[in-house]
Amino acid sequence: MNIGQAAKVSGISAKMIRYYESIGLLNNAKRTEAGYRIYSETDVKTLSFLRHARDLGFSSEQMKELLDLWKNDERQSVEVKALALKHIHSLNQKIAVLQAMVEILQQSVDGCAGNEQADCNILNQIEKGMMECCHVPKT
């Protein structure tokens, strides 16, 4: 199938397919005599796997590790579990930062009069550096 068909079936844009090829997540596609890419069912399965991994927030580097494990029949699930647990830890850290950001913004919004006056607590807090003042955890 051509790149457009592969994109439609896998849910990954043609641009991302070319990018994944360029960084080695996907083998370079075979080409027609005219130079058009041709993708196999295996390629499309790999693209779908990559899309699902990306949907879970895995980075390109992590997706490479996952792909290597997925393709390796000799793998040990302990390796996959360790990678997933590390990613969960990272996601939880990001969630904590986002929650802290929401709390800080909510405090600023709560302190805003929301009237016709020019003074704005929200803008004042942003100017001061909301993140520095409120000890938001770093990722």
Side-chain angles (χ1 to χ4, degrees):
M1 69 182 65
N2 66 32
I3 195 166
Q5 294 165 324
K8 185 175 182 177
V9 172
S10 68
I12 293 181
S13 71
K15 182 177 181 177
M16 284 303 293
I17 292 173
R18 287 189 291 272
Y19 173 71
Y20 286 161
E21 281 183 32
S22 74
I23 64 170
L25 282 176
L26 184 66
N27 293 330
N28 289 332
K30 294 179 182 172
R31 302 270 183 160
T32 65
E33 288 183 25
Y36 294 107
R37 290 174 167 89
I38 301 173
Y39 295 92
S40 67
E41 290 298 319
T42 301
D43 294 329
V44 173
K45 283 177 78 173
T46 300
L47 287 167
S48 293
F49 181 88
L50 291 171
R51 187 196 56 168
H52 297 148
R54 186 185 66 201
D55 288 348
L56 290 169
F58 285 99
S59 68
S60 295
E61 190 174 297
Q62 291 169 317
M63 289 192 298
K64 173 78 170 115
E65 290 179 63
L66 285 170
L67 261 180
D68 289 344
L69 290 166
W70 181 57
K71 291 178 179 180
N72 180 359
D73 293 335
E74 311 258 328
R75 70 179 170 262
Q76 295 182 356
S77 64
V78 67
E79 297 173 82
V80 183
K81 185 174 183 176
L83 181 60
L85 286 171
K86 184 177 176 184
H87 187 56
I88 289 169
H89 178 72
S90 174
L91 290 173
N92 280 327
Q93 287 180 317
K94 289 176 184 179
I95 290 168
V97 169
L98 289 171
Q99 287 175 329
M101 291 166 69
V102 167
E103 290 174 22
I104 292 164
L105 282 169
Q106 187 64 57
Q107 290 171 4
S108 294
V109 167
D110 291 346
C112 178
N115 56 24
E116 287 79 33
Q117 300 295 318
D119 186 47
C120 178
N121 188 50
I122 300 166
L123 294 175
N124 294 338
Q125 288 297 328
I126 292 172
E127 178 184 1
K128 291 177 187 173
M130 298 169 91
M131 302 295 277
E132 287 80 17
C133 78
C134 303
H135 308 292
V136 175
K138 302 276 186 209
T139 56

